[in-house]
Amino acid sequence: MDYRIKGTLLAMLTCLVISCEGKKEPEDTTADVGKEQVLPFTKMELSDMSDFKPVADNWQIVGDVYVDQTKKRTFVSSPGTGILLNTPVKGMKENLFTNFEHGDIEIEFDVMMPIHSNSGMYFQGRYEIQLLDSWGKEEPQHSDIGGIYQRWDKTREKGERGFDGHAPRVNAAKAPGLWQHFKIIFHAPRFDDAGNKIKNASFEEVWLNGVLLHKDQELSGPTRSGAFEDEQPLGPLMIQGDHAAVALRNIKYKLFHGDKVSFSNITMTEYENELQTIPPYEELKEVRKISTDSVSSQLVSGQNPRKILDFEGTVNIPVSGEYLFEMRVNLAGGKFDIDGKSVIDLDGDFDYDDVRYQELKLEKGQYPFSLVYNKHRPYRLGFELFVEGPGIQKHALHAPRSYVPARGPSDRIYLQVEEEPVMQRSFLVHKDEKRTHCISVGTPRKIHYSYDLAFGSLLQAWGGDYLEVTKMWVARGAQQLGEPLGVPLVRHTHPDFAFLKNEKTAWPDSIPSDTEYRQLGYTLDTKGAPTFRLKLNESLVENKFMPSDSLRSLNRIISIETGEEMWHKLAEGSIIEALPNDSYAIDDKSYFLDFSGNDGFTPMVRKSENKQELLVKIPQGNQKITYKITW
């Protein structure tokens, strides 16, 4: 059942705590989250134009760009390297082609679009992923950013000439002038020995800013304005240069040749076992021994048994080089060996998120392998084993459904927002740390945010749907986690307010022991929006957050009755750039902060270890600060 809980039922289903003082929170039982690892990509250095075929001067390498918010389709650039910039003008509007040709490819890159700008990335010079300033559009089309552009047949009747375009599932666009990240896996068409196409080209996955836009989308032929009308096994990447300005950076890719690692000659021996660690097999009762064509947790016999499955056979390595293996089990244990040597050891009791990786060099050939799955709990949740290698796309070595999620999408519980704001207390994972005193506020404008009651700080903001609460309200809800239903803009982990001796004093990681901190709860306005109140020594601070009319913008209104001078951390990031009109590009242009309209307050950018901070000093007395965060 797909539970979608309306805000009006919230009071019946949860306890909203006004103040976090004196409340004992459930124990944190979350396992450490494994960091994803991948084999290296080939990176375009973008120190010059040597990675591309000769082209007109509308393409150049620069060191930095930003968007003039008063002009359409316009960049302001500065000299240097690392950014590929297109500035088409009359007589210089050429498309750009890579020197390399590709078939199957995985590529990642950052792109920046000025206001109302338009470009495209053509795979094999034929199949376009659209690049467009689509910020704020509610119903994206194939022509919006991340869309697969339509095909075109001028012989068709008028109104039907465009066809087979594929709109992105959602609009994941950031505001113009911000860097946006694409991750795309493309598969070239396949041909028989006679040159006849036997399989269409396809986009396996298209991700924008962490949001999946397309999955396994076939392409019946080249899209409109491609460089070639035919289809081939190989072709260059093409970046559209004849429409409008676009900037790209951090372009990296992997080329795949279609080989796969495989298992063969597999036998599976099943043993009775209830221990969390794998004992010597001679101590176990053998249940059965069979031949199988795959490795899968589904081969366990009986009703919710506790068993060990021991798979042995041959692993076939198609080419010599570096391989990366990835294994995970859920509430179980396991091991994977090649040629008698341990590759991954998960012998014990492990959660699904506690993934293990191992990279090793293997020569082309066949080797004996052993894979052990220790199902020492009654749950049928299973295991997964993946591999990638030289020119080999990451793929599963386990059979489908070897891992069975405890809950599918239809079993999850989502909070929805209708006509009034909705508030939900929960734990939140913020930069890999579980925060225990949090409240998430959902608004009817589909701009939501999370606030840390323990620190008095804004943790994150996101657009779209509101919150998943499955890990709070299913079974015992031991994890107590709320999970945003969108990719959030994540802010710093520190308190938002502090008393500093001077502008060089380090910002505290938590509330200092010599600072009296009291969370005073919140009040609601006539529309149900909260204002959070806290006390720092003798200073009273009120925080209110209101969505802007435009998509993915959040206004913050701070009212302070200060008993002494204090400081407010507006933002932090790897790079903070001051832009015209009292605005700032935060964390290497990940989001904007507009501080205009605050007469008498002058923010400062300072370096702090390996990052930068944007701070503002607040003098004693009654003060008010407002600013807007846009992403």
Side-chain angles (χ1 to χ4, degrees):
M1 181 178 181
D2 184 357
Y3 299 93
R4 298 186 180 274
I5 308 300
K6 298 180 180 179
T8 53
L9 298 179
L10 190 59
M12 302 170 59
L13 297 170
T14 186
C15 55
L16 288 176
V17 181
I18 298 296
S19 173
C20 62
E21 294 179 305
K23 301 296 181 181
K24 182 176 178 60
E25 303 291 350
E27 182 181 357
D28 181 354
T29 59
T30 300
D32 292 337
V33 178
K35 298 292 186 182
E36 183 181 11
Q37 298 181 27
V38 296
L39 290 181
F41 287 76
T42 298
K43 185 175 181 180
M44 292 186 174
E45 295 300 330
L46 299 182
S47 56
D48 53 35
M49 295 294 295
S50 59
D51 285 324
F52 305 95
K53 297 183 184 300
V55 73
D57 290 340
N58 55 299
W59 291 97
Q60 58 182 313
I61 301 295
V62 300
D64 195 14
V65 293
Y66 79 88
V67 168
D68 185 340
Q69 300 290 338
T70 66
K71 299 179 181 179
K72 297 179 181 179
R73 306 179 183 90
T74 303
F75 277 117
V76 178
S77 66
S78 57
T81 63
I83 297 175
L84 176 65
L85 175 64
N86 176 46
T87 51
V89 296
K90 186 175 181 179
M92 291 191 301
K93 294 184 177 182
E94 292 187 14
N95 298 327
L96 184 66
F97 294 86
T98 59
N99 286 328
F100 72 85
E101 293 192 336
H102 70 88
D104 295 353
I105 186 174
E106 178 179 349
I107 186 170
E108 296 190 30
F109 60 92
D110 297 334
V111 63
M112 184 185 293
M113 307 301 303
I115 298 170
H116 294 179
S117 202
N118 182 1
S119 183
M121 175 75 76
Y122 284 79
F123 288 75
Q124 297 192 312
R126 295 169 171 86
Y127 315 96
E128 183 186 12
I129 294 295
Q130 175 76 336
L131 305 178
L132 190 83
D133 169 24
S134 300
W135 189 64
K137 191 166 184 179
E138 294 186 2
E139 297 183 5
Q141 307 298 315
H142 71 272
S143 54
D144 285 298
I145 190 167
I148 300 172
Y149 208 81
Q150 66 183 0
R151 300 188 63 195
W152 188 261
D153 185 351
K154 61 183 179 181
T155 66
R156 291 187 172 202
E157 292 186 13
K158 192 173 182 179
E160 298 180 1
R161 294 173 183 172
F163 63 102
D164 278 6
H166 304 283
R169 296 180 179 183
V170 296
N171 184 2
K174 286 188 176 183
L178 296 177
W179 286 114
Q180 310 194 58
H181 185 72
F182 269 100
K183 176 182 177 180
I184 301 170
I185 301 176
F186 169 84
H187 292 286
R190 298 292 191 262
F191 303 87
D192 62 19
D193 292 340
N196 300 308
K197 187 173 74 168
I198 57 176
K199 187 176 182 181
N200 284 330
S202 66
F203 286 103
E204 179 181 323
E205 292 180 352
V206 178
W207 296 80
L208 174 60
N209 301 325
V211 179
L212 181 63
L213 305 185
H214 302 282
K215 177 72 173 176
D216 296 328
Q217 185 61 65
E218 281 198 29
L219 309 171
S220 59
T223 58
R224 189 176 186 181
S225 298
F228 317 102
E229 295 184 357
D230 64 341
E231 295 187 280
Q232 296 291 335
L234 297 174
L237 283 171
M238 184 187 88
I239 309 173
Q240 197 171 48
D242 63 348
H243 278 31
V246 66
L248 299 99
R249 68 175 188 180
N250 296 335
I251 305 172
K252 59 183 183 178
Y253 61 90
K254 296 179 184 180
L255 303 180
F256 303 128
H257 48 59
D259 288 331
K260 287 189 174 184
V261 176
S262 63
F263 289 153
S264 59
N265 306 318
I266 309 170
T267 61
M268 187 278 289
T269 307
E270 185 177 29
Y271 299 92
E272 297 280 2
N273 181 62
E274 294 187 0
L275 301 176
Q276 287 191 358
T277 57
I278 302 169
Y281 291 133
E282 61 267 19
E283 299 178 6
L284 302 176
K285 178 182 177 182
E286 182 177 321
V287 177
R288 60 179 178 144
K289 186 173 185 177
I290 62 172
S291 296
T292 177
D293 60 1
S294 63
V295 297
S296 174
S297 68
Q298 297 300 301
L299 292 177
V300 172
S301 63
Q303 183 69 28
N304 293 328
R306 291 176 167 88
K307 300 283 185 65
I308 281 180
L309 301 184
D310 179 18
F311 297 92
E312 296 187 359
T314 301
V315 57
N316 306 294
I317 304 299
V319 294
S320 300
E322 295 292 331
Y323 287 80
L324 179 66
F325 292 89
E326 171 189 337
M327 185 176 180
R328 63 186 78 207
V329 293
N330 202 358
L331 304 178
K335 296 176 64 176
F336 178 58
D337 301 343
I338 292 180
D339 201 19
K341 300 176 183 177
S342 176
V343 179
I344 294 178
D345 190 341
L346 286 164
D347 189 10
D349 186 27
F350 293 89
D351 185 83
Y352 182 77
D353 290 329
D354 197 10
V355 60
R356 291 289 188 273
Y357 298 87
Q358 182 60 54
E359 184 176 343
L360 68 159
K361 188 173 184 179
L362 292 170
E363 298 298 321
K364 177 181 178 180
Q366 297 182 323
Y367 303 88
F369 83 88
S370 170
L371 189 154
V372 179
Y373 170 51
N374 184 12
K375 184 182 176 299
H376 53 68
R377 297 194 190 206
Y379 318 113
R380 284 187 181 271
L381 298 178
F383 68 87
E384 293 178 327
L385 179 65
F386 297 92
V387 65
E388 65 171 312
I392 300 173
Q393 184 182 350
K394 177 179 174 180
H395 62 278
L397 290 171
H398 58 274
R401 292 188 60 77
S402 178
Y403 168 69
V404 180
R407 289 176 293 274
S410 63
D411 301 315
R412 296 172 185 168
I413 303 175
Y414 305 102
L415 282 181
Q416 300 290 2
V417 182
E418 294 189 342
E419 297 179 357
E420 295 181 352
V422 175
M423 293 174 287
Q424 175 61 54
R425 280 291 308 273
S426 73
F427 292 177
L428 290 171
V429 174
H430 180 260
K431 294 191 174 182
D432 297 331
E433 178 185 351
K434 181 176 276 191
R435 310 298 285 265
T436 58
H437 295 68
C438 304
I439 185 166
S440 295
V441 181
T443 76
R445 291 185 181 175
K446 291 187 175 293
I447 299 295
H448 320 299
Y449 65 92
S450 299
Y451 182 79
D452 189 338
L453 294 162
F455 279 9
S457 58
L458 175 66
L459 289 178
Q460 58 189 7
W462 68 99
D465 290 332
Y466 175 40
L467 200 68
E468 180 181 345
V469 291
T470 312
K471 294 179 181 178
M472 297 179 59
W473 293 349
V474 168
R476 293 181 298 168
Q479 296 188 36
Q480 287 295 298
L481 277 177
E483 298 178 306
L485 290 173
V487 177
L489 163 65
V490 179
R491 285 172 38 86
H492 59 79
T493 60
H494 307 142
D496 276 0
F497 303 91
F499 301 105
L500 306 181
K501 291 182 180 179
N502 54 57
E503 63 183 29
K504 296 183 179 180
T505 304
W507 198 266
D509 293 335
S510 59
I511 303 295
S513 58
D514 60 354
T515 299
E516 181 185 356
Y517 174 86
R518 290 184 61 198
Q519 177 58 237
L520 302 178
Y522 57 81
T523 59
L524 302 179
D525 65 16
T526 56
K527 295 183 179 180
T531 296
F532 298 98
R533 305 172 71 246
L534 60 94
K535 192 172 184 181
L536 292 167
N537 293 343
E538 298 304 316
S539 298
L540 178 65
V541 181
E542 294 186 343
N543 282 278
K544 188 170 186 176
F545 306 90
M546 299 296 294
S548 299
D549 291 334
S550 56
L551 184 65
R552 297 194 183 97
S553 287
L554 186 68
N555 291 307
R556 183 172 190 175
I557 304 100
I558 303 172
S559 299
I560 304 178
E561 298 176 10
T562 58
E564 57 186 301
E565 177 185 278
M566 68 165 55
W567 292 75
H568 173 45
K569 180 186 281 194
L570 295 159
E572 75 171 30
S574 58
I575 300 173
I576 297 177
E577 302 168 77
L579 303 177
N581 304 319
D582 292 325
S583 62
Y584 298 83
I586 308 297
D587 200 17
D588 194 16
K589 298 185 179 72
S590 292
Y591 67 97
F592 292 125
L593 191 148
D594 182 353
F595 197 73
S596 60
N598 292 287
D599 295 337
F601 293 93
T602 304
M604 61 171 286
V605 178
R606 72 174 190 179
K607 187 174 181 179
S608 176
E609 297 179 347
N610 60 346
K611 61 182 182 295
Q612 291 185 318
E613 296 175 320
L614 182 65
L615 308 181
V616 63
K617 182 167 62 175
I618 303 170
Q620 184 178 5
N622 294 342
Q623 310 292 343
K624 186 173 183 179
I625 295 174
T626 65
Y627 57 89
K628 181 168 68 174
I629 296 171
T630 299
W631 68 100

